[in-house]
Amino acid sequence: MAIYFRGMNPEETASLTRIMMTSGQVLNLSDIPGKKIDKHSTGGVGDKVSLILAPLVASAGVIVPMISGRGLGHTGGTLDKLESIPGFRTDLSLKEFKDSLLKIGLAMVGQTEEIAPADKKLYALRDVTATVDSIPLMASSIMSKKLAEGIDGLVLDVKTGSGAFMKGYEDSLKLARTMVETGTSLGVETVALITDMNQPLGRAVGNSLEVLEAIDVLKGGGPEDLVEITIELGAWMLRLAHGLDIEKGRGILMANIKNGDGLKKFKEMVSMQGGDTEVVVDSTHRVDRQELLPSSEIKRELRSKENGYIERIDAESVGIASMVLGAGRERVDSVIDHSAGIILMKKRGDSVRKEEPFAILYGREESMMEKAEELLLQAYKLSDTKPERTPLIKTIITKEDIVPLTGTEKT
Ligand code: URA
């Protein structure tokens, strides 16, 4: 409670992070040759970046030991998305995790009880004392878990906007700076990209729908915003690993999408973790591959009531609509439906004609459809004029941007 009200200075934040990190197992990956770099996102709607990014960056020679979480509330989680692939296991043992890193340079798993147990207890305490919303406590909580992975570098995607955990830009900036400072002072080079989460990322929201969209990107297609953010985060991972120029990193990653190396790595990961690789069949078999993933029973198209341009798609409302359809968890113990979700056929800036479909809902029950439709209709706002493009990547914070504080200042 004292930290909540008074904040902590950088040294205090780093100390708390170190103590929580060493309260459990800190992975030692030194027997695996190569630089180990991970990415963490503070969470958003339609954020399936990890599914594309981890194999793509691994295909460029970086070791990616990714430990991810599950979705809660309006935001989705990487583990839930991966588990929509039939047979895919996210509960690898430490030995299996390391074997996978050695063989294919990549593994995507869930957090075990042994990683930062003190954070789990403190978080539960913060939850019941209304002290979750503290920047130094959030920074130390996130960083203690990431730094326990035994990584050499970390790229953070700090989301800002309606669908983000941190809605205001200034708060997102503070959180990003605090995490970069903490990681750097604990010996792991950390970079943060502050990115827009006012509208969902890409067009798919919901687990198996997002897996299909991620595969589309690895095949050279997919929505522009999703490709842009993935390439940018990946180029920073390559810079941390090999000191590569950002432009050069972008080129390597785009080439590995074109030549199929990223997709090949994704398939290798699915195979290593027990999943059905038929999900990744070539483009001429799109229908088959969709049939392999869980598919929903009811599909409803939403049509526009007027002509205009899409001015806004409130990400939080879309996230809640997707949760109502069964794609997300209202409580930690809710059971999710991997097939449920939403396809946004129109995104911000697109024109729409009266009666033209702008979104498709997938779910199991009509009552869920009604509620989700209502939320989605509220989420979309039309205007007569085309809105100006806003940048997707707002700010990049590196260790050079952190001005050392005097020691008494509070973050
Ligand atoms: N995510 C975490 O892991 N911890 C926080 O404190 C907030 C978000």
Side-chain angles (χ1 to χ4, degrees), residues 174-190:
K174 259 193 190 165
L175 179 64
R177 293 180 74 94
T178 309
M179 290 196 287
V180 169
E181 193 165 48
T182 306
T184 308
S185 76
L186 292 177
V188 173
E189 187 166 355
T190 307

Side-chain angles (χ1 to χ4, degrees), residues 219 281-287 289:
K219 285 182 172 170
V281 293
D282 69 59
S283 329
T284 51
H285 295 95
R286 284 178 66 98
V287 179
R289 124 188 121 107

